[in-house]
Structure formats: C-alpha cells, structure tokens
Amino acid sequence: SQQGEEDPQALSIQEGENATMNCSYKTSINNLQWYRQNSGRGLVHLILIRSNEREKHSGRLRVTLDTSKKSSSLLITASRAADTASYFCGAGTASKLTFGTGTRLQVTL
Amino acid sequence: NAGVTQTPKFQVLKTGQSMTLQCAQDMNHEYMSWYRQDPGMGLRLIHYSVGAGITDQGEVPNGYNVSRSTTEDFPLRLLSAAPSQTSVYFCASTMGEGNAYEQYFGPGTRLTVT
C-alpha cells in the first residue's frame, strides 16, 4: 500500500501566490522526501526532511514535518509558471521508497 | 554522467508478447528500483535491488521479473504482456543510505499493450 497520500489532488493558483500541499503517511519514518514531476518526465528530488527535524527551507521551498500527526507540508512561495508540475511525497527506506498519488499544481500567469 | 537511462522510450506490444525494459546508471549507486505509474495511482514499486545479485519484490511484482548481474544495469522483463501492464515505467537509482538518501529517476518508458 502507498505510504504517502498528498492533499489536495489538484491546486490552481496565480503566479506570485503561495502554494501549499500536504502529505500524510502511515508508518514510522526516518525521513520524508518531496519530489516534482513535470509532465512526461521522471521525478526530481526537491528536499528531504529527517524525522528529528520540524522545518526545513531550500530556496522558495519550505517543508514541515509533524511526526505526531504523521503529516508533512510543502510550501512553495512566490510561485512561478515553471512550478507547474505534480508533486509527490515519498517515505520508506533507501531501498524501498513509496509514493502517494501526488498533487497537480497549475500556476497561471 | 548520463545519470539513469532507460530504453526504449515508447513500446507497443501485443498481448502475450515478451520484452525487456532496459535501465542503466553510471553513478555507482547500489540501490535500484522499478516503478510503474498509472493515471491517478501515483508510482507503485514493482521490484528493487540493494546490490548486484540481490533483488526483492515491491508492491506490484506479478507479471514482472528482474535481475541484477552488475551494479550498472537493472532490466525489467515482462514475460507475457497483458493490457493491465499498459503504463509508464520508471527506473530509479538511490544515492546515499541510512537517514539521508535521494532517488534519481530515468525518463521513463511508455508501454502500451493491445
């Protein structure tokens, strides 16, 4: 079964706005990762947050992790049209990572 | 580095045919994985390998075989294709281990079984 489940399934915003997407997972984790997938391409790693971290930043990305609620959120600030993609959270081990169904983000001009 | 490469990019098979999807990586990563992605289903793990000569099943292994004779290559075999195997297939290799790792994905193979 899939470890992570993203919410919402789809999100449409205007350029410059912030985008927030959430992920819930089922079992204990060592870390949680977020990936982006552009249409027709493979996933690209964005950011990893360890289980002992609560918040992490990378450029316009901010990830939070709440292990008590088994949930994580990804915030993209000042979104751009180029951020249009699907976003997935992944959880598991280095050899066996499982993903949710993703959030489709559409950023319009 | 070429990263993770997959061939072919597109393939159409008839039901019952067999084929091998190729995957190679030049980053000397120990771990490699195969996923399939269907609309609205996200990625599901088919098989994975933690090193040459070692493979294991993922979430949806039925109908697929794998082998790992070298660190670089991890082919996926469909023995008797079925329409339910129509999907996009992604191969990935993993850098790191323990509590810090990330997966590198190939560009995918789009397979249609008629």
Side-chain angles (χ1 to χ4, degrees), chain B residues 14-91:
Chain B
K14 288 184 167 37
T15 297
Q17 286 185 318
S18 63
M19 80 159 294
T20 299
L21 279 62
Q22 302 292 344
C23 174
Q25 52 98 4
D26 61 357
M27 297 172 283
N28 203 33
H29 291 165
E30 286 297 319
Y31 301 161
M32 296 185 74
S33 309
W34 274 104
Y35 296 88
R36 60 176 287 173
Q37 185 175 32
D38 303 300
M41 293 290 292
L43 278 83
R44 291 183 292 171
L45 183 65
I46 305 172
H47 285 284
Y48 64 100
S49 169
V50 298
I54 307 169
T55 64
D56 206 346
Q57 296 181 349
E59 183 186 355
V60 288
N62 292 343
Y64 308 94
N65 278 356
V66 292
S67 60
R68 184 99 180 270
S69 57
T70 67
T71 299
E72 293 79 19
D73 300 299
F74 191 40
L76 178 72
R77 296 186 190 85
L78 282 71
L79 300 177
S80 179
S84 61
Q85 293 178 305
T86 293
S87 188
V88 182
Y89 291 85
F90 290 100
C91 178

Side-chain angles (χ1 to χ4, degrees), chain A residues 43-61:
Chain A
L43 275 66
V44 174
H45 183 264
L46 291 176
I47 191 166
L48 176 152
I49 184 166
R50 292 183 172 84
S51 60
N52 61 353
E53 296 175 315
R54 292 296 169 258
E55 188 171 310
K56 196 163 183 180
H57 296 256
S58 176
R60 292 185 297 112
L61 305 180

Side-chain angles (χ1 to χ4, degrees), chain A residues 2 30 33 35 37 92 97, chain B residues 35 37 41 99-101 103:
Chain A
Q2 288 166 319
N30 289 330
Q33 306 181 37
Y35 287 76
Q37 183 182 35
L97 196 63
Chain B
Y35 296 88
Q37 185 175 32
M41 293 290 292
N99 203 22
Y101 50 86
Q103 288 197 327

